[in-house]
Amino acid sequence: MNIIIPDKIMRIETQRLVLREIYRDDDKEIFEIFSDDEVALYDWFRPIKNLSEADTFIERYNEEFEAGEEITWGIALKETEKLIGICCLGNFDNYARRAEIGYDLMKSQWGRGYGTEAVKAVITYGFKNMNLNRIEAFITPGNTASIRLMEKSGFIKEGIVRERDFIKGKFEDGVIMSKLRRDE
């Protein structure tokens, strides 16, 4: 059986969060997230400089979803629906029923457990609703906070993939971590 990619981005609720579609009027929050040097430190992007670049991120999320390449949820506080981050599943391998997970949070929201809560919700959704068997994460060495978050979410560190990514002009290794459906 193949991966089941939904026709629309499904709303997921947790105790404190709502994972939802990202809208055009989330541009100020997207800007706040992706303009921060520390948020961008271990990621592929350089800090964005204006709302136009935030709009480009939002357009890309929609295009990737329409193409069946990636699902990006906005992480919002349940009380206010204010966007504080994103969490995504992408790089789907239909035959192996595998996907890759990623996330970014506003620096002001770090250390509150929101990332772990969102990642766990997306993992559960992927296994139960999308028929995934394996979810992978690739983390740039040195990003110990993300490694800890993935461990709290039940991921196992499998090793290092040498020079896996080209980030900001240089090749970077990736710590590969995974969680299997049977681990849930």
Side-chain angles (χ1 to χ4, degrees), residues 19-183:
L19 283 78
R20 60 165 175 80
E21 186 176 344
I22 299 171
Y23 305 110
R24 279 228 177 268
D25 60 357
D26 290 319
D27 60 347
K28 290 174 189 65
E29 288 80 13
I30 291 293
F31 176 74
E32 185 177 343
I33 297 162
F34 294 108
S35 64
D36 191 291
D37 290 335
E38 288 187 65
V39 172
L41 183 62
Y42 295 106
D43 221 322
W44 60 268
F45 63 90
R46 295 188 188 282
I48 63 176
K49 304 286 186 215
N50 54 52
L51 286 177
S52 176
E53 290 182 70
D55 289 336
T56 301
F57 271 52
I58 294 168
E59 287 171 21
R60 192 183 82 237
Y61 297 146
N62 291 328
E63 289 168 4
E64 289 172 339
F65 179 72
E66 291 299 320
E69 297 170 355
E70 185 168 291
I71 303 168
T72 302
W73 285 269
I75 303 169
L77 297 173
K78 195 179 241 183
E79 295 174 0
T80 62
E81 292 260 345
K82 180 184 188 281
L83 199 76
I84 61 167
I86 62 104
C87 191
C88 60
L89 282 175
N91 292 335
F92 301 113
D93 182 327
N94 199 36
Y95 184 72
R97 294 181 17 229
R98 179 179 68 228
E100 186 176 329
I101 194 167
Y103 74 95
D104 287 289
L105 281 176
M106 275 180 194
K107 185 180 173 193
S108 63
Q109 303 301 320
W110 290 3
R112 299 176 185 205
Y114 293 139
T116 304
E117 192 171 326
V119 165
K120 285 180 176 181
V122 168
I123 291 165
T124 299
Y125 181 85
F127 289 141
K128 290 187 176 174
N129 298 84
M130 296 180 64
N131 197 39
L132 292 172
N133 181 62
R134 176 183 167 94
I135 299 176
E136 299 174 336
F138 290 93
I139 301 165
T140 305
N143 191 350
T144 54
S146 282
I147 290 171
R148 277 194 315 272
L149 184 150
M150 298 315 282
E151 288 172 339
K152 288 179 194 172
S153 300
F155 278 63
I156 305 293
K157 193 183 309 180
E158 295 180 336
I160 301 286
V161 180
R162 298 181 319 143
E163 296 185 0
R164 179 189 184 273
D165 296 303
F166 193 71
I167 300 175
K168 299 180 183 101
K170 64 180 186 170
F171 288 103
E172 293 282 358
D173 293 344
V175 176
I176 185 169
M177 302 181 76
S178 72
K179 185 169 184 176
L180 303 178
R181 175 185 220 127
R182 67 179 180 206
D183 298 335

